[in-house]
Amino acid sequence: MHRVKVDALTPEMSVPAREWRHLRVLRLRAGDTIRVFDGRGAEAEATVSALHEGGATLTLGASVEGAAETPQPVTLAIALLKGDKLADVTRAATELGVARIQLLTSRYADVPDIGPAKLERLRRIALEASKQSRRAVTPDVLAPIPVTQLRADGPAFIAHPGTHARLTDHLTWDAPVTVVSGPEGGWTDAEVTHLERAGFTPVTLGPRILRAETAPLALLGAIVATGV
Ligand code: SAM
């Protein structure tokens, strides 16, 4: 069934212009049923009540329970990567259940910053991936902050080669979870020290060194493998 993101679930809804392009090609007719979700966890059935030039009106139906979300939101904090790597990570991380992607600048990050157009593209990719993976939550992709400003509001882990603790041995679901993955050049000692003092537990992803675009997916894969 086709899924459309709307701004809010209300008794009558207009299809946002960005979604209409996809819906138009489906040749929907009045009376057809689709799914709507708000990107914050709410999902429902909706009936096409009217079609008009450039849009459609939907009538809210029964809500759909059992959204495919983790017990607490998971934030992936990731150092900036070059080329299309952040796009690939955003797509896969959304499929793997993240609720938020916090971009980070760091001493050895591949690029010093990203512009608004690239950030907007990452948000569009998160939207498409959340639809494709049948989630009712679309992850926020947040503009970069320095890694030294990162705060944990629950169990928090930093992937760092050479450590021995395993994420799954320390993972609890009593508060939002944060996982942090570094740039191709790795973290500086000062960055690791800062994060440890801020409550982040360094964890291993095994004895092999993973590429900077592989490590975040290994972190999230470890979480997914616990069955959430
Ligand atoms: N020379 C760098 C170093 O020793 O840190 C390698 C960095 S690695 C290519 C990129 C990032 O992926 C790291 O900063 C870390 O966050 C994560 N990573 C890669 N392999 C890892 C492993 N085996 N254990 C934990 N983290 C790993």
Side-chain angles (χ1 to χ4, degrees), residues 54-139:
T57 308
L58 307 172
T59 302
L60 191 64
S63 44
V64 176
E65 302 301 333
E69 298 306 322
T70 49
Q72 293 278 348
V74 175
T75 295
L76 168 66
I78 180 169
L80 292 179
L81 308 177
K82 64 184 170 196
D84 242 15
K85 292 176 181 176
L86 277 181
D88 294 339
V89 170
T90 298
R91 188 178 297 109
T94 302
E95 292 170 26
L96 289 165
V98 288
R100 211 159 64 123
I101 298 174
Q102 173 65 68
L103 302 176
L104 299 175
T105 58
S106 68
R107 175 79 174 80
Y108 299 129
D110 298 5
V111 288
D113 205 354
I114 77 170
K118 193 158 187 185
L119 190 59
E120 198 44 48
R121 177 162 177 257
L122 295 178
R123 290 175 176 149
R124 281 202 307 276
I125 287 170
L127 171 60
E128 288 312 315
S130 62
K131 284 202 238 171
Q132 180 270 325
S133 55
R134 301 194 186 160
R135 294 184 61 190
V137 170
T138 299

Side-chain angles (χ1 to χ4, degrees), residues 106-214:
S106 68
R107 175 79 174 80
Y108 299 129
D110 298 5
V111 288
D113 205 354
I114 77 170
K118 193 158 187 185
L119 190 59
E120 198 44 48
R121 177 162 177 257
L122 295 178
R123 290 175 176 149
R124 281 202 307 276
I125 287 170
L127 171 60
E128 288 312 315
S130 62
K131 284 202 238 171
Q132 180 270 325
S133 55
R134 301 194 186 160
R135 294 184 61 190
V137 170
T138 299
D140 285 337
V141 183
L142 303 176
I145 58 169
V147 63
T148 47
Q149 284 178 14
L150 194 61
R151 301 279 174 271
D153 50 2
F157 306 94
I158 170 180
H160 191 43
T163 50
H164 299 287
R166 285 187 306 191
L167 183 149
T168 44
D169 290 340
H170 296 269
L171 184 63
T172 57
W173 290 107
D174 44 9
V177 172
T178 305
V179 293
V180 191
S181 191
E184 202 55 37
W187 304 111
T188 65
D189 290 344
E191 288 166 346
V192 175
T193 302
H194 162 80
L195 289 174
E196 284 190 272
R197 285 191 183 139
F200 290 78
T201 304
V203 291
T204 180
L205 294 171
R208 296 155 295 276
I209 296 296
L210 309 181
R211 301 292 297 254
E213 65 271 33
T214 308

Side-chain angles (χ1 to χ4, degrees), residues 4 6 9 13 34-38 42-46 58 60:
V4 169
V6 292
L9 301 195
M13 296 161 286
I34 62 171
R35 289 264 177 99
V36 287
F37 69 104
D38 67 359
E43 177 159 355
E45 295 193 340
L58 307 172
L60 191 64

